[in-house]
Amino acid sequence: MPNYIGFIRATKDSHEHLGPDEAQRVLENYMAWADERTKEGRFVSGGGLSKRGRVLRGSGGEVGATDGPHTEATEIVGGYQVIEAADLDQAEKIFATHPHLEFGPIEVRKIGERGCED
């Protein structure tokens, strides 16, 4: 069965309004979602991403680096989840149950396929 990745995107301040208890509940909801996908045999991997990083760009044989990944984006990828699904439609239905959608979008893509196919 193919793997699909859900990029957990959010604005820089999408979770800042949460108090410590609320933030803990949100984290527990995210983990419960992954646990349910594991019980279904669909969860492959996932995790959060550091807010710090570098963006590399090549030009004329030279490589430049800037602090990132947020240098040119209003939304950042804060984490990812990889699941197994029969097709993109099924992956969309599964990710549609993710608690993160209360805070921001999830971009879903098939892994291991080049081009514009689903």
Side-chain angles (χ1 to χ4, degrees):
M1 193 172 300
N3 288 339
Y4 289 84
I5 188 166
F7 293 106
I8 310 298
R9 298 186 338 198
T11 61
K12 185 178 178 182
D13 59 354
S14 64
H15 289 79
E16 288 183 2
H17 67 282
L18 300 175
D21 291 340
E22 290 174 302
Q24 181 62 36
R25 278 193 297 280
V26 167
L27 178 60
E28 289 169 359
N29 288 340
Y30 284 29
M31 293 171 64
W33 185 90
D35 288 344
E36 285 298 312
R37 303 301 75 79
T38 299
K39 289 175 188 171
E40 296 169 355
R42 296 193 178 282
F43 189 76
V44 176
S45 67
L49 300 173
S50 170
K51 290 182 181 180
R52 295 184 51 178
R54 300 252 163 79
V55 176
L56 305 179
R57 290 186 174 81
S59 177
E62 299 290 320
V63 176
T66 57
D67 287 340
H70 51 275
T71 55
E72 296 179 14
T74 57
E75 292 179 343
I76 59 171
V77 177
Y80 68 97
Q81 304 280 293
V82 179
I83 62 165
E84 289 184 348
D87 56 27
L88 183 58
D89 291 335
Q90 184 181 42
E92 177 187 342
K93 288 177 185 171
I94 293 167
F95 278 113
T97 66
H98 199 289
H100 175 74
L101 291 172
E102 182 179 336
F103 302 99
I106 299 174
E107 178 183 344
V108 181
R109 293 195 196 184
K110 187 175 184 180
I111 296 176
E113 193 171 271
R114 294 178 185 238
C116 297
E117 305 87 26
D118 78 17

